């Protein structure tokens, strides 16, 4: 069973639609036991990091996410929340992956970045069947610097992590659920990990 974590994220419906297109069986839930019993976990996200952390806290999900042992995919804010902290609202995040989420420099680029951008992929099972460079759709004002856990990069003002992996935790800054065939392939690959 695939579980989508239900904490009021704005892109939940589009993630569900993408899984429907793949013919996947899934459940949208905030029940800790259902999340921990799932085969795969999708952690969606659109919106403000501080609001998202407050919502997770109200639903008693912060500790739950930290102990997930199966593959988990964070999308957009869902990826950012895997890190230690975010400059957005000076938010303490989940602390699963070491690092800080920082804002793009508004003096240099239009913020948020919105639209299709090239991503350079490393050799990772999440990207099976994709070319080394692929276009994905992004909408975000904050970024994660390139580091030890980076598995894909993109460029907007500076090079940043467009995908990360730490143990069973995966994250993508772009929106695979809105990225046509390439995005569908990312989701399919994740479900087959």
């Amino acid at each position: 069973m695939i579980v989508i974590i239900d904490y009021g994220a704005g892109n939940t419906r589009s993630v569900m639609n993408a899984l429907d297109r793949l013919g996947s069986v899934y459940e949208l839930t905030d029940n800790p036991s259902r999340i921990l019993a799932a085969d795969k976990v999708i952690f969606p996200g659109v919106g403000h990091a501080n609001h998202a952390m407050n919502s997770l806290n109200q639903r008693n999900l912060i500790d739950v996410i930290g102990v997930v042992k199966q593959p988990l995919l964070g999308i957009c804010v869902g990826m950012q929340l895997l890190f230690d902290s975010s400059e957005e609202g000076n938010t303490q995040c989940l602390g699963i992956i070491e690092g800080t989420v920082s804002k793009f420099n508004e003096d240099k680029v239009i913020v948020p970045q919105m639209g299709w951008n090239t991503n350079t992929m490393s050799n990772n099972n999440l990207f099976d069947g994709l070319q080394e460079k692929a276009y994905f759709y992004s909408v975000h004002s904050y970024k994660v610097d390139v580091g030890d856990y980076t598995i894909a990069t993109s460029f907007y003002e500076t090079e940043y992590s467009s995908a990360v992996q730490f143990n069973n935790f995966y994250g993508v800054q772009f929106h695979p659920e809105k990225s046509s065939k390439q995005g569908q392939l990312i989701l399919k690959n994740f479900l087959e990990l």
Side-chain angles (χ1 to χ4, degrees), residues 40-117:
K40 304 286 187 315
V41 178
I42 296 177
F43 183 26
V46 165
H48 195 281
N50 192 265
H51 173 76
M53 285 301 296
N54 286 338
S55 182
L56 289 172
N57 187 46
Q58 289 168 4
R59 296 176 193 228
N60 298 311
L61 292 175
I62 289 176
D63 291 337
V64 173
I65 294 170
V67 297
V68 165
K69 300 298 183 202
Q70 63 274 48
L72 178 146
L73 177 65
I75 298 173
C76 195
V77 172
M79 174 187 128
Q80 294 178 2
L81 294 181
L82 297 176
F83 286 83
D84 291 323
S85 62
S86 174
E87 289 181 358
E88 187 173 30
N90 294 318
T91 303
Q92 190 67 33
C93 298
L94 295 169
I96 294 167
I97 305 176
E98 185 179 340
T100 300
V101 180
S102 59
K103 192 169 187 178
F104 286 117
N105 186 338
E106 293 179 279
D107 293 332
K108 295 184 178 179
V109 291
I110 296 170
V111 177
Q113 176 188 191
M114 187 179 302
W116 295 84
N117 201 349

Side-chain angles (χ1 to χ4, degrees), residues 40-42 71-75 79 82 121-131 134 136 149-152 162-174 176 181-193:
K40 304 286 187 315
V41 178
I42 296 177
L72 178 146
L73 177 65
I75 298 173
M79 174 187 128
L82 297 176
M121 315 297 185
S122 67
N123 184 14
N124 188 287
N125 290 340
L126 196 62
F127 309 132
D128 284 351
L130 289 167
Q131 296 181 354
F136 294 97
Y149 311 115
T150 302
I151 58 173
S162 57
V164 295
Q165 181 192 355
F166 175 68
N167 296 331
N168 58 305
F169 292 92
Y170 294 79
V172 291
Q173 182 60 71
F174 50 80
K181 292 178 181 178
Q182 298 97 319
Q184 287 288 113
L185 187 53
I186 293 262
L187 291 172
K188 180 176 180 289
N189 289 341
F190 171 72
L191 298 180
E192 292 176 353
L193 288 175

